[in-house]
C-alpha cells in the first residue's frame, strides 16, 4: 500500500476457450515455432488463474478481464462468408483455413496489449485515461479492440474517475500495441510519474534504423497520439526507439526486453537504440532517482532473453520498498538466465529482493509471458471503489472462476477442431455465464441487440 491508498492492480486476461496454436504472429518466435501443436485451453486458463491467485495470496491487488467471443463469426460475415454459423465455419475451414484460425485466436488473453493507461495522478483533469490499442499489425489481433473497448468501458464506467479515448486509426502509421510498449516510472505510486513510450519505427520521415527481418509493431506517431489524448506533457514523457536488431531477434514488444516499475528499470543492453539518451532523459524528467538494472549481452544472449522471457517478468512493488520479480518457469530451464537472476539481479544493489517462478507454459508457447498476461492499472482507493462489476480477485471469485473453467473448457484443441460448430456453442454458453459471474453486463456481440 502506498500513500492515499494508491495501488497497482494487475488485470490479467482470462485465457479463452479457443486457446490454440496457429502460428499467427509473425516475428514472435514462440508463436511461429509452436504452430500446429495441440493446445490445452483448460490448463491454460487454470495456469493463468493460479498465477493470479498466488499473487493475490502474496498481498498484491489482482483484477481479471474476460476473454472474447471466438470464433468471431461477425468477422467471417464481413469477409463475405454467409449462411448459418455452421455453414460459415465449414466454408471458412475449406476455403480459407488461415482466416478461420485468425478468427478463433484467444489472443485477448495478453491484456498488456489491451490498451494504454495513464493513472489519474498524472493526468491534467485528475481522471484515469484509457486508449484501447488498435492492434492493426495482425488480423487476428485487429479483431480485439472493439470488444476490449466495451469491456473497459463496462468496468471503468464511472465518468467522474475514468476517461475513455477512441482507438487510434487502424492504419500502419498509427500502429499501436498498448501497454506492452509503455512503462510508467515513479517514486511512490501517488507521486508524479514519467511515461516511457518505446516504438519500433517512425511512420512519417522515418525509414532509417528499422528492423529488416520482422515488423516493428509500434510507431512513434501512435505513442505520441496516445500521450496527447491523455494530456501528458513533454516533461512527463520520454519516447525511445527500440533497437531494430532486437526486433529482428524476436523482440516484438518492448516488454520482451525490458520491465520497469516504481523507480526501477530492468532492461537488456539491446533494448534501446540509444540507451544513453534514453536513460539521461528519464533521469532529467523523473522526480526520483532512476534505478537502472542493466543486463549485458554477455550475461544473457538475445536468444536466451527471447526463449526465457526473463524481461517479460512482472516487477511488483512491496510496501517495504523491496520488489519482487515474477518470472516464467522457462527462466529456470536456461542456466545463464537463472544464474543472472540469482547472482546479478537478486544479488545486485537494487530493490529486487525476491523471485517467484510461475508456470504459464500454455501462454508462453504463443509468446505470452507473465507480463503479457496483465494490464497494470494504478488506482486510488476511491477509484477501486468506483469500479463496476466483480472484477477484483478474492477467494470467492477465484473459486467461481476455477469452477467455471472446469465446467466449460476443453483440455485438448487441435487446429482442426476450430471448425467444430459445437465449440462455438460452448463458447457462447460459457461467456454468457461469465458476464453474469463478473456482473459486467452485455459486452459481447452475441449479447447485443
Ligand atoms: O501478439 N501472440 C501474441 C503474444 C502477445 C504477447 N504480448 C506481449 N508481449 N505483451 C502476439 O504476438 C499468437 C497467436 C497464435 O499464433 O495463435 C499471438 O498472437
Amino acid at each position: 500500500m502506498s500513500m492515499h491508498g494508491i495501488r497497482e492492480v494487475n488485470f490479467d486476461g482470462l485465457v479463452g476457450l479457443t486457446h490454440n496454436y496457429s502460428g499467427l504472429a509473425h516475428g514472435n518466435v514462440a508463436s511461429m515455432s509452436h504452430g500446429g501443436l495441440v493446445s490445452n485451453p483448460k490448463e491454460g486458463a487454470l495456469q493463468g488463474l493460479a498465477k493470479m491467485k498466488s499473487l493475490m495470496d502474496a498481498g498484491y491487488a489482482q483484477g481479471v478481464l474476460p476473454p472474447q467471443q471466438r470464433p468471431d463469426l461477425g468477422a467471417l460475415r464481413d469477409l463475405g462468408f454467409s449462411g448459418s454459423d455452421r455453414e460459415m465455419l465449414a466454408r471458412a475451414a475449406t476455403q480459407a483455413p488461415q482466416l478461420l484460425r485468425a478468427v478463433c485466436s484467444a489472443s485477448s488473453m495478453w491484456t498488456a496489449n489491451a490498451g494504454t493507461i495513464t493513472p489519474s495522478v498524472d493526468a491534467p483533469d485528475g481522471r484515469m485515461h484509457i486508449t484501447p490499442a488498435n492492434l492493426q499489425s495482425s488480423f487476428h489481433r485487429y479483431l480485439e479492440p472493439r470488444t476490449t473497448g466495451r469491456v473497459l468501458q463496462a468496468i471503468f464506467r464511472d465518468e467522474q474517475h475514468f476517461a475513455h479515448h477512441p482507438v487510434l486509426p487502424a492504419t500502419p502509421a498509427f500502429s499501436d500495441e498498448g501497454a506492452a510498449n509503455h512503462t510508467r516510472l515513479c517514486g511512490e505510486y501517488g507521486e508524479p510519474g514519467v511515461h516511457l513510450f518505446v516504438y519500433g519505427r517512425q511512420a512519417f520521415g522515418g525509414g532509417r534504423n528499422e528492423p529488416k527481418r520482422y515488423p516493428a509493431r509500434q510507431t512513434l506517431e501512435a505513442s505520441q497520439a496516445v500521450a496527447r489524448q491523455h494530456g501528458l506533457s513533454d516533461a512527463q514523457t520520454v519516447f525511445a526507439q527500440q533497437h531494430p536488431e532486437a526486433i529482428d531477434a524476436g523482440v516484438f514488444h518492448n516488454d520482451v526486453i525490458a520491465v520497469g516499475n516504481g523507480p526501477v528499470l530492468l532492461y537488456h543492453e539491446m533494448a534501446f537504440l540509444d540507451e544513453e539518451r534514453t536513460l539521461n532523459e528519464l533521469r532529467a524528467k523523473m522526480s526520483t532517482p532512476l534505478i537502472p538494472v542493466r543486463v549485458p549481452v554477455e550475461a544473457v544472449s538475445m536468444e536466451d532473453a527471447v526463449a526465457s522471457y526473463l524481461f517479460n517478468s512482472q516487477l511488483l512493488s512491496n510496501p517495504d520498498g523491496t520488489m519482487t520479480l515474477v518470472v516464467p518457469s522457462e527462466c529456470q530451464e536456461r542456466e545463464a538466465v537463472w544464474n543472472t537472476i540469482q547472482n546479478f539481479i537478486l544479488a545486485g544493489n537494487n530493490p529486487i529482493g525476491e523471485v517467484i517462478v510461475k508456470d504459464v507454459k500454455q501462454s508462453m508457447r504463443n509468446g505470452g509471458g507473465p507480463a503479457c498476461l496483465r494490464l497494470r492499472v494504478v488506482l486510488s482507493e476511491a477509484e477501486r471503489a468506483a469500479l463496476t462489476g466483480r472484477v477484483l480477485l478474492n477467494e470467492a471469485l477465484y473459486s467461481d472462476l476455477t469452477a467455471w473453467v472446469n465446467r466449460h473448457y476443453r483440455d485438448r484443441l487441435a487446429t482442426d477442431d476450430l471448425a467444430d460448430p459445437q465449440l462455438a456453442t460452448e463458447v457462447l454458453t460459457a461467456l454468457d455465464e461469465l458476464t453474469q459471474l463478473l456482473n459486467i453486463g452485455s459486452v459481447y456481440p452475441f449479447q447485443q441487440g
Side-chain angles (χ1 to χ4, degrees), residues 199-220:
Y199 61 94
R201 80 187 149 85
Q202 199 175 323
F204 302 118
R208 282 167 296 117
N209 286 325
E210 285 187 4
K212 295 180 173 61
R213 196 165 167 221
Y214 294 139
R217 295 199 196 177
Q218 183 85 27
T219 66
L220 171 61

Side-chain angles (χ1 to χ4, degrees), residues 31 87 89 95 103 110 128 151 154 159 179 185 190 202 216 229 253 262 286 291 300 336 353 372 405 413 427:
S31 159
E87 285 164 343
L89 288 168
Q95 296 166 19
V103 305
W110 300 298
M128 185 186 107
V151 167
E159 286 177 15
L185 295 156
Q202 199 175 323
Q229 287 180 329
H253 289 137
M286 284 169 66
I291 307 174
V300 174
C372 299
V405 168
L413 206 57
V427 169

Side-chain angles (χ1 to χ4, degrees), residues 20-25 28 31-32 105 107 110 112-113 138 140-141 177 180 217 252-253 255-256 309 312 366-369 371-373:
N20 74 93
Y21 300 116
S22 284
L24 297 174
N28 169 342
S31 159
M32 295 193 299
S105 177
S107 53
W110 300 298
N113 305 115
S138 63
H140 69 290
R141 303 215 65 181
E177 301 265 324
R217 295 199 196 177
F252 55 97
H253 289 137
D255 72 1
V256 176
Y309 261 41
N312 201 259
N366 258 335
C372 299
L373 286 162

Side-chain angles (χ1 to χ4, degrees), residues 45-179:
L46 294 177
Q47 285 174 345
L49 280 165
K51 170 167 94 76
M52 297 183 224
K53 169 82 158 69
S54 65
L55 297 188
M56 173 188 88
D57 287 344
Y60 304 103
Q62 183 67 55
V64 64
L65 293 174
Q68 298 209 353
Q69 183 187 334
R70 297 290 181 271
D72 187 338
L73 293 162
L76 287 184
R77 221 172 271 287
D78 287 347
L79 293 169
F81 291 94
S82 57
S84 67
D85 292 356
R86 175 183 288 269
E87 285 164 343
M88 285 206 297
L89 288 168
R91 284 177 189 146
T94 49
Q95 296 166 19
Q98 295 279 17
L99 284 187
L100 178 62
R101 280 178 219 139
V103 305
C104 286
S105 177
S107 53
S108 70
M109 73 176 81
W110 300 298
T111 52
N113 305 115
T116 308
I117 296 199
T118 295
S120 55
V121 281
D122 294 339
D125 65 356
R127 295 191 295 166
M128 185 186 107
H129 287 250
I130 308 180
T131 304
N134 61 33
L135 297 176
Q136 67 85 50
S137 64
S138 63
F139 174 59
H140 69 290
R141 303 215 65 181
Y142 159 87
L143 300 174
E144 295 174 42
R146 243 172 109 172
T147 296
T148 300
R150 263 200 221 113
V151 167
L152 294 174
Q153 291 197 29
I155 294 170
F156 301 94
R157 186 186 294 172
D158 188 336
E159 286 177 15
Q160 241 192 303
H161 291 290
F162 312 117
H164 297 266
H165 297 276
V167 173
L168 300 182
T171 193
F174 295 102
S175 184
D176 180 17
E177 301 265 324

